[in-house]
Amino acid sequence: MTPLRIVLMGVGLIGREHATLVRNHPRTELVAIADVSPDGQAYAKELGIPCYASYEQMLDETKPDGAIVALPNQMHLAAGLACIERGVPMLMEKPVADTVTAALQLAKASEAASVPILIGHHRRHSPDIRAARRAVQDGELGQIVAVNGMWLVNKPDNYFAAEWRRRAGGGPLLINLIHDIDCLRFICGEIDSVQAIASNSIRKFEVEDTAAVVMRFASGAVGTFLISDAVPSPYSWDIASGQALYFPHQPEDCYFIGGRKASLAVPTMNLWRHEEQGGHWQQPLVRKHMPKDRSLTYVNQLEHFAAVIRGEQPPLVTARDGTMTLAAVLAVDLASREARSVRIAEMLG
Ligand SMILES: NC(=O)c1ccc[n+]([C@@H]2O[C@H](COP(=O)([O-])OP(=O)(O)OC[C@H]3O[C@@H](n4cnc5c(N)ncnc54)[C@H](O)[C@@H]3O)[C@@H](O)[C@H]2O)c1
């Protein structure tokens, strides 16, 4: 099979990871990069491929099979529309766009032109997250009752050298929680409303360093989530799963999913239920280890993108799906600022 010709927009932190993945995969070839920075141009030279300052020109001249968009969030809409106009399927880094309005515009354009967009919510391609969703969908846990999650990490001081990371919008709610919200939606179904308390009491920047979130799922299940970037711990998917890029692996759990029949800890994939069906709290529990494959999240994502380009699979995360995740995260932010319960529907207008 001829390798798919891929172009990459933006070779910053995550763009370079995409470049390595595409170059290392036998079925994909990185043909060009678009980046405006001298660093980006030097990187392209290192790889021996052209670097364009204009992504439109890159698309027109290289006519790729697919594009990966790893540009700043505010540029996702324009870059996405440029791909759609040229009929180029894309892997768009998360969030789908910087606002719900822009995200919906992108979703509508993708649907109208039948040009697929795969949103880069990479965790959905992870073996543990896939297995957790399967366990819920197959009814192994019974009706979902209560969900709990954590993302507790300690960001280094130099992370905050960039001014925008100290300002509202640059913190764990809008930058990091989006991955967990997407996983919880994927595993447990749509979130209906949220409440939240945010705190900046540790770093004392304008932006929050810590937050507690309460969720009501459309199914009737309830959930809580704790997030902080000021706590050294193994309790985050990035560290616990061993699947994330640039994090050490410490096997632990970050999600606990409680159903009427059993509860599941992710990513260790320990499922607990009573020995006897219908058992109760005074009766013995047994642990079953749920199987998960040993595949790699980012490779899985790239292989899925290749299947999307070839028209073999619909995107696992469409722009519309990504919009629901974005809306839920913006709802958490609004709920914390206005100290009230916010329905996701309110964010969708
Ligand atoms: N899925 C993940 O794990 C993950 C991780 C990090 C970032 N992201 C997402 O990826 C995107 C990029 O984040 P990042 O941290 O890599 O950002 P970054 O700032 O490190 O990189 C962005 C790159 O885009 C380039 N750029 C800016 N304007 C441009 C233009 N007009 N034309 C071409 N290039 C331009 C910059 O020079 C820079 O190299 C964001 O949407 C972010 O949310 C996802």
Side-chain angles (χ1 to χ4, degrees), residues 10 12-14 35-37 70-71 73 75-76 93-94 122 298:
L13 181 67
I14 196 71
D35 201 297
V36 287
S37 70
L71 295 168
N73 299 350
M75 302 184 64
H76 288 193
E93 261 307 341
K94 50 56 57 177
H122 58 271
Y298 284 89

Side-chain angles (χ1 to χ4, degrees), residues 181-227:
I181 290 280
D182 190 68
C183 282
L184 294 181
R185 284 187 57 238
F186 187 56
I187 298 169
C188 302
E190 219 52 85
I191 297 168
D192 182 66
S193 63
V194 293
Q195 297 173 45
I197 298 172
S199 162
N200 64 351
S201 68
I202 302 304
R203 298 190 198 279
K204 304 205 167 31
F205 294 144
E206 179 185 304
V207 71
E208 75 284 345
D209 47 60
T210 303
V213 182
V214 177
M215 295 164 275
R216 182 180 293 283
F217 289 82
S219 67
V222 295
T224 54
F225 200 91
L226 273 180
I227 187 161

Side-chain angles (χ1 to χ4, degrees), residues 279-299:
H280 59 72
W281 63 353
Q282 290 171 333
Q283 293 174 333
L285 285 156
V286 287
R287 180 171 64 178
K288 174 181 166 189
H289 187 72
M290 300 290 293
K292 60 181 176 184
D293 65 62
R294 290 175 180 272
S295 62
L296 298 172
T297 302
Y298 284 89
V299 175

